[in-house]
Amino acid sequence: MIERYSLTASADQIKERFLAEALGAIDPRYNAAPTQLLPVITHTAPQGISTFYWGTSPEWAKNKTPGEKIINLRAETITEKPSQKKAIMKTRCLIPADSFYAWKKVGKKTAIPYRFTTLDQELFAFAGVWEEFEDTDGHEFHTFSMITTTANEMVATVQDRMPAILTVAAEKTWLNPESTEEELLAVLVPYPADKTNYYPVSPRINDINTNVPSLILPTPPSDQFGNLTLFD
């Protein structure tokens, strides 16, 4: 499961990369986590950047319970459930990012976090789908889920899943309202291992309330067990 990613670019950088306008400021997210409001670009309004909740159905949503939290959807099975199949056809979105995190188990109670980026360390997008909810007062709220694939050879040294990172060409397919189911499923593939980079980061990434630049700095394995970085 993918539970963290980062988006450290400014609103202007995101606008330039995705040709989409943001209505307000976009704060850097060194530790984007479920339940947070995060930027997405929907295929129904690709000219704008929206902010949706990641993976958590609001407690006030009709016919939903707080426990119904869908953070990730598997690309391999996304067409097996009618609701998920409908989502990839009707409510797709791009999730702007510049990295994701994964944890490697090194003991029964110990896991080392790693940060994965592209080799060029540029902005990219995960494939996602979104959903709309309405509270009892008629107010609308939106959530999104990230689509994952099997891990490439590099990510597989840490865990067996990774986000579906889209190429620029695949982004256009994902945003195109005329794309067929076959075309959409074809872009949900593991990002090439030879275009991926990774390194260990601070275990402070475990705390979703921590959002500081030093989280994305490499942290030697010797510092994974409680030693603090000097860069806070």
Side-chain angles (χ1 to χ4, degrees), residues 7 20 22 39 42 70 74 85 142 144-145 149 178 206 214 225:
L7 177 61
T42 68
I70 302 175
R74 289 177 171 252
K85 183 174 181 177
H142 301 84
F144 72 90
S145 297
T149 71
E178 303 302 322
N206 295 328
S214 59
F225 304 98

Side-chain angles (χ1 to χ4, degrees), residues 137-150:
D137 296 322
H139 299 130
E140 294 181 352
F141 299 88
H142 301 84
T143 67
F144 72 90
S145 297
M146 177 190 297
I147 298 175
T148 66
T149 71
T150 55

Side-chain angles (χ1 to χ4, degrees), residues 56-133:
T56 300
S57 301
E59 294 182 18
W60 51 82
K62 293 180 179 178
N63 303 317
K64 294 287 182 179
T65 67
E68 293 183 76
K69 301 176 182 179
I70 302 175
I71 299 168
N72 299 161
L73 296 176
R74 289 177 171 252
E76 303 93 320
T77 59
I78 199 168
T79 59
E80 293 179 4
K81 292 184 177 181
S83 61
Q84 294 181 12
K85 183 174 181 177
K86 179 181 178 181
I88 67 166
M89 299 308 299
K90 301 294 185 180
T91 55
R92 298 186 298 279
C93 64
L94 299 181
I95 308 167
D98 53 29
S99 79
F100 69 92
Y101 300 97
W103 281 255
K104 182 176 184 178
K105 291 185 177 181
V106 294
K108 289 185 178 180
K109 296 183 178 180
T110 305
I112 296 177
Y114 285 82
R115 183 176 189 241
F116 290 84
T117 69
T118 58
L119 280 182
D120 58 16
Q121 297 188 350
E122 296 292 333
L123 277 167
F124 54 80
F126 306 129
V129 295
W130 60 274
E131 197 168 351
E132 180 179 282
F133 297 95

